[in-house]
Amino acid sequence: MSTLSERILGAEAGSYVDCPVDRAYVHDGTGVLTLEAYRAMQAEKIAKRERTYVLFDHIVPANNSVTAGLQRDLRAFAREKGLTFTDVGEGICHQVMAEGIALPGEIVVGADSHTCTLGAFGVFATGVGATDMAAIWADGGTWFRVPETIAISLSGSLREPAEAKDLALTYVGRLSMDGATYRAIEFVGEGVKSLSMDSRMTVSNLAVETGAKAGLFYADRTTCTYLREFGHRVEPQVPEECQYEQTLHLDLGEIVPVVAVPPRVDTVRPVEELAGLSIDQVFVGTCTNGRYEDLERFARLVLGRKVAVRTLVAPASRSVLARAAKTGILSWLLEAGCTILPPGCGPCLGAHLGVLGEGEVCLSTANRNFKNRMGVGGEIYLGSPATAAASALAGCLTVPGEGR
Amino acid sequence: MKVEGPALCLGPDIDTDVIIAGRYLRTKDRSVWAAHVFEDLDPSLAMRLPGTIIIAGKNFGCGSSREQAAIALKEAGVRCIIAPSFARIFFRNAVNIGLPVLECSCPCRDGEHVAVDLGGGTVLVGGRVFPTRPLSPRMQEILSAGGLVEYWRKRR
Ligand code: SF4
């Protein structure tokens, strides 16, 4: 009887396997080094051209001529080799792959640590480095050590104003920054049913912050319905009885709004304890919380009011932005005083667009609050879109649902 | 494969943002990464790295998949990194670029002499032997080839 990782990788935990990969992707950041390593290998060809993706998202549009030059070369390579390529403005790699590309049961690798986001679809999805990726371009596969699995068993359902992000930060706080190193996490239990696909992606996204290799949900009816919108007919994955290394039980009904206090993602405190802390910037977006559900939640809370601090919103993809334009929530954001950034990573990695100044504090819906990540001397508190909305309106850290 | 050098001691949970900050990633010039390695932790560290063996606390290299973190350390002259545990992507990256890494819990004082035998899986610190978790045979082969690019070309 196997865990989902064992089933997909076809071997028992602890064993080493050589596996073909179903899809492999890089972004403009890691793609540059991958290309260098690939050229150094002098491989004859890319093994699976159309299943090899180059997705621009990290510094888009380019911030200076050096970046632009690197992007020009990678773009030209992708086109020349016939790889699947998305340019500036299409969205964050993990989100693009989640919009009807990655499918349950597949093995997907990305040259980015948050590739684990796709675990939400019952995909064995994990991050690799650039040189590993170059070998995958050439071979169409790689080696894995089949991970042991920690189960996070969910019961009940989330109660407003708590969101999937609060659940994610809560389990990261419990497991700590290396609590799941070399392991996979599986999210199981009847509480899963109540989580939308957007929410599950938020939960899987944070798995790597505990050191995990993958963070998986079994594909169920919700997954199948979501993928049908993209024209895929897939079957649910039925869980088997299996041995987990450890099981963490969480009652969704007890989750409260929390933030991760810099500089550690596992220093997780109820927003209530820190309420009133002054902030300079709010950032809504990223592969954690830049999806439609997140933007809608945020927009509903700021509707008809004005934000008190500079507030940046970066939709995770073009389709998220298009949908926000169509449903009208985009104008709610604009009227509330938010600044809309192009689809992509935006300020998340501190390279351009919304970099923090010395001593500035940002409340971000992202997944990392390491020292100086968004700018030298800046501090990052991580929270949910609802916490971001309440705090943007008040100009200080605020429990969602209060101060209205 | 044997490596020797003076110890340079660091704490736990050293993340890849602190090893090399995002603001230095957009270049292919490796000397830039070597010059700014650990800048946000302690700007004087980069100069002290050549020839050393880093002995760090648990979860070294957590965070982003950026291979520039491992490259920066290698370019700066680090000979080997020892820690009780590593973030898995960093661990694979280091081996892939030919920078030896080994899982081992050992005490550390700056400057103390360290001798590492990667094949035998032993670490000698100040004359005392510490047990390690040996690298998988494939990882050892990749390391002795000098990295994954060289390993791949030889194997072909
Ligand atoms: S949004 Fe942030 S965490 Fe996600 S892929 Fe982009 S830089 Fe990485």
Side-chain angles (χ1 to χ4, degrees):
Chain A
M1 294 289 151
S2 318
T3 64
L4 190 48
S5 302
E6 290 173 327
R7 210 194 292 179
I8 297 174
L9 293 174
E12 269 180 36
S15 40
Y16 287 85
V17 290
D18 280 286
C19 283
V21 305
D22 294 294
R23 302 172 201 281
Y25 62 100
V26 299
H27 52 66
D28 50 309
T30 53
V32 171
L33 269 188
T34 304
L35 180 53
E36 242 192 9
Y38 178 77
R39 288 200 167 126
M41 283 165 54
Q42 298 172 322
E44 270 117 51
K45 62 176 180 36
I46 304 239
K48 299 174 176 169
R49 274 187 303 129
E50 51 320 315
R51 284 170 172 265
T52 303
Y53 303 77
V54 176
L55 314 167
F56 277 16
D57 61 3
H58 266 54
I59 305 189
V60 295
N63 60 337
N64 62 32
S65 51
V66 175
T67 311
L70 294 171
Q71 292 186 3
R72 177 199 57 214
D73 295 348
L74 186 57
R75 182 185 288 115
F77 175 82
R79 292 207 170 122
E80 177 204 317
K81 296 290 181 198
L83 311 183
T84 306
F85 173 66
T86 62
D87 211 329
V88 170
E90 291 307 316
I92 303 172
C93 56
H94 313 302
Q95 178 61 20
V96 170
M97 294 301 290
E99 291 175 356
I101 298 181
L103 296 173
E106 290 184 342
I107 300 173
V108 176
V109 291
D112 188 277
S113 57
H114 291 103
T115 304
C116 58
T117 311
L118 299 171
F121 294 90
V123 174
F124 186 84
T126 194
V128 297
T131 303
D132 258 333
M133 184 56 85
I136 292 165
W137 280 5
D139 296 336
T142 190
W143 65 271
F144 296 104
R145 181 180 174 280
V146 183
E148 286 78 20
T149 296
I150 295 175
I152 298 188
S153 178
L154 306 174
S155 58
S157 55
L158 289 167
R159 282 202 309 230
E160 282 211 30
E163 301 193 337
K165 179 59 164 293
D166 301 304
L167 161 62
L169 289 173
T170 300
Y171 86 71
V172 171
R174 291 280 192 89
L175 288 177
S176 89
M177 261 166 77
D178 65 341
T181 298
Y182 309 138
R183 291 164 179 76
I185 298 176
E186 283 183 13
F187 301 94
V188 297
E190 44 91 20
V192 166
K193 278 205 299 285
S194 67
L195 299 173
S196 68
M197 280 319 301
D198 281 9
S199 290
R200 293 179 195 185
M201 280 187 256
T202 302
V203 172
S204 289
N205 179 269
L206 270 278
V208 71
E209 305 314 324
T210 66
K213 188 171 198 164
L216 300 108
F217 284 84
Y218 287 80
D220 62 4
R221 302 243 312 262
T222 305
T223 325
C224 299
T225 309
Y226 174 100
L227 289 169
R228 198 166 309 138
E229 303 248 319
F230 295 95
H232 296 294
R233 291 205 164 271
V234 298
E235 294 295 319
Q237 294 162 324
V238 184
E240 295 173 1
E241 276 293 314
C242 62
Q243 271 295 321
Y244 291 120
E245 194 183 73
Q246 176 193 339
T247 302
L248 174 67
H249 294 275
L250 289 176
D251 179 350
L252 295 177
E254 285 174 9
I255 303 289
V256 296
V258 289
V259 285
V261 178
R264 293 181 63 104
V265 63
D266 60 357
T267 310
V268 176
R269 299 270 177 274
V271 179
E272 207 175 354
E273 273 181 29
L274 293 149
L277 182 111
S278 161
I279 52 178
D280 303 283
Q281 175 172 299
V282 168
F283 170 43
V284 181
T286 78
C287 57
T288 315
N289 280 128
R291 282 175 275 278
Y292 185 77
E293 179 180 284
D294 305 312
L295 267 49
E296 191 195 29
R297 181 71 186 271
F298 182 87
R300 277 192 194 289
L301 293 169
V302 297
L303 173 63
R305 307 186 62 190
K306 289 272 183 235
V307 295
V309 289
R310 64 176 190 269
T311 299
L312 313 176
V313 180
S317 70
R318 181 184 296 281
S319 66
V320 168
L321 174 58
R323 191 165 160 207
K326 202 163 167 189
T327 59
I329 65 164
L330 189 60
S331 43
W332 299 359
L333 295 172
L334 290 169
E335 282 154 20
C338 303
T339 299
I340 309 298
L341 303 180
C345 301
C348 180
L349 70 160
H352 71 157
L353 298 172
V355 172
L356 299 178
E358 173 89 44
E360 285 196 315
V361 176
C362 179
L363 176 66
S364 165
T365 63
N367 43 35
R368 288 198 173 132
N369 57 356
F370 297 138
K371 188 179 174 195
N372 295 354
R373 179 168 168 95
M374 285 178 71
V376 179
E379 290 203 317
I380 309 161
Y381 287 78
L382 304 172
S384 74
T387 301
S391 306
L393 293 172
C396 61
L397 229 103
T398 304
V399 180
E402 286 183 4
R404 289 212 70 147
Chain B
M1 223 179 143
K2 295 192 169 126
V3 205
E4 285 181 66
L8 188 131
C9 312
L10 298 172
D13 299 313
I14 301 282
D15 64 75
T16 51
D17 273 69
V18 121
I19 299 174
I20 185 71
R23 59 187 180 277
Y24 297 120
L25 294 183
R26 294 315 153 226
T27 173
K28 287 202 278 187
D29 181 353
R30 291 165 185 240
S31 66
V32 171
W33 304 329
H36 296 283
V37 68
F38 289 135
E39 188 172 277
D40 291 346
L41 189 64
D42 172 356
S44 74
L45 268 178
M47 269 131 56
R48 288 163 47 205
L49 290 179
T52 58
I53 292 183
I54 290 181
I55 299 187
K58 69 181 175 67
N59 201 26
F60 188 88
C62 58
S64 133
S65 69
R66 60 186 69 159
E67 201 161 285
Q68 288 94 334
I71 298 172
L73 291 165
K74 190 181 177 205
E75 290 288 314
V78 172
R79 295 206 173 129
C80 176
I81 306 171
I82 299 170
S85 64
F86 290 83
R88 54 164 288 278
I89 304 178
F90 179 88
F91 195 73
R92 257 179 102 134
N93 285 350
V95 170
N96 286 343
I97 61 142
L99 173 64
V101 279
L102 204 56
E103 287 176 289
C104 169
S105 295
C106 49
C108 177
R109 258 185 302 138
D110 270 331
E112 214 167 11
H113 183 79
V114 186
V116 184
D117 180 351
L118 288 160
T122 56
V123 170
L124 212 78
V125 185
R128 283 167 65 201
V129 184
F130 294 90
T132 67
R133 187 178 339 171
L135 291 172
S136 73
R138 173 154 17 190
M139 283 191 144
Q140 290 194 37
E141 280 174 44
I142 295 173
L143 263 184
S144 34
L148 182 59
V149 168
E150 294 77 9
Y151 172 82
W152 194 93
R153 287 173 57 179
K154 256 191 8 204
R155 202 194 44 172
R156 188 164 59 146

